[in-house]
Amino acid sequence: MAVSSSAELVIDASLVRRLIATQFPQWSDLEVRPVEPGGWDNRTFRLGDRMTVRLPSAEHYVAQVEKEHHWLPRLAPHLPLPIPVPLAKGTPGEGFPWRWSVYRWLPGETLAVERVTDLRDVAKDLTRFLRAMRQADTAGGPLPGDHNFHRGGPPGFYDAQTRQALTLLEGEVDTAAAREAWEAALAAPFEGMPVWFHGDIAWGNLLVEHGRLSAVIDFGTSGVGDPACDLAIAWTFFHGDSRDVFRDGMALDRGAWARGRGWTLWKALIVLAGMTGAPASERAKQRAVIEDVLMDHRRYG
């Protein structure tokens, strides 16, 4: 069968059923249904009650499949919360051109303020998880690069993109303060030993049950390098006391927080400037993130 280009791909439950039937017929009688939200880098589907299927949505996400299958089983024993367990790796077929994955289903709902008992407990649990990840053996671990969009490297990789966004946003945000915070991030190089980082600590990749953090998912942007990229949730989700608990628990130096503000500012600016194709509702949220980052920069420098 001819293989479709990524621009023509339709990734739906019908495709998943065909892939399962041809490659893993032992599961062909299980129900397939989409998971909402289904993700951006990958499309996710339930397979029966105990598994999920994840298919890369574009070619530049394909390298994440091999990385997760290799490294997640090695990281899991060192972490205090469950993470995805790879069960099977699919191959191209049925018009789908890339490798794809079957994982064990992890129960829980994506993180939201109304689903947790106390945000401070979530902050504590998350910092415990990320500190444990930083202690895992890094030998042979994937360094920052195209596979994870350079997370774990210096935020300056996106300097030109950030400055373009600032130009586009003149008059809409405090671009002078944003440039100052961005320059501070560039002026604080990572000088420590590379450690494991997740790379996309966001509400959609954190699961909760019974009001507490219960699992961490989607390690596609993980790698070994500077953990500052894991700090963005301080401004995109936490606030007030919970942000302070997260800051204290992460136990990172002033330079790491400057770089963390840089990573957060880059993403918020390019989304607000309309450079990512994000919907207007998402762009509106980024204005508050930018304001929080700039306030934090003024407070901590």
Side-chain angles (χ1 to χ4, degrees), residues 2-178:
V3 174
S4 304
S5 72
S6 60
E8 301 169 338
L9 276 178
V10 176
I11 304 176
D12 57 13
S14 175
L15 171 64
V16 175
R17 291 188 194 99
R18 298 197 306 273
L19 287 168
I20 292 295
T22 56
Q23 298 187 30
F24 302 107
Q26 69 272 29
W27 297 327
S28 61
D29 61 338
L30 298 177
E31 181 184 8
V32 175
R33 57 192 187 277
V35 172
E36 297 296 341
W40 183 267
D41 298 2
N42 297 268
R43 301 290 183 264
T44 305
F45 299 81
R46 290 290 300 269
L47 178 60
D49 294 328
R50 298 183 180 181
M51 291 179 283
T52 62
V53 176
R54 279 166 53 86
L55 294 88
S57 62
E59 187 172 7
H60 43 275
Y61 303 124
V62 175
Q64 300 176 3
V65 174
E66 299 290 345
K67 178 172 63 177
E68 289 197 344
H69 276 260
H70 181 79
W71 288 105
L72 291 184
R74 291 163 171 78
L75 286 171
H78 306 287
L79 302 176
L81 291 170
I83 64 174
V85 177
L87 299 177
K89 189 192 308 178
T91 58
E94 301 299 317
F96 187 76
W98 308 304
R99 288 188 174 274
W100 48 281
S101 301
V102 180
Y103 292 92
R104 183 179 300 161
W105 171 256
L106 288 173
E109 297 180 284
T110 53
L111 177 64
V113 171
E114 64 272 16
R115 292 173 179 161
V116 302
T117 305
D118 191 327
L119 278 178
R120 293 170 297 183
D121 288 336
V122 173
K124 290 176 185 176
D125 292 342
L126 182 56
T127 57
R128 187 168 67 250
F129 178 90
L130 292 173
R131 288 199 311 269
M133 195 166 179
R134 298 201 313 250
Q135 296 299 314
D137 184 5
T138 60
L143 300 177
D146 291 343
H147 68 95
N148 71 345
F149 306 96
H150 298 269
R151 298 298 206 287
F157 182 84
Y158 291 107
D159 186 48
Q161 199 176 64
T162 301
R163 294 185 191 279
Q164 180 186 358
L166 286 167
T167 299
L168 293 171
L169 292 170
E170 283 288 354
E172 290 191 49
V173 298
D174 187 345
T175 50

Side-chain angles (χ1 to χ4, degrees), residues 172-191:
E172 290 191 49
V173 298
D174 187 345
T175 50
R179 284 190 178 91
E180 181 181 303
W182 179 246
E183 294 288 353
L186 301 185
F190 177 56
E191 297 176 341

Side-chain angles (χ1 to χ4, degrees), residues 189-208:
F190 177 56
E191 297 176 341
M193 293 293 293
V195 297
W196 274 100
F197 58 84
H198 180 278
D200 192 15
I201 292 294
W203 65 269
N205 293 330
L206 302 173
L207 303 184
V208 294

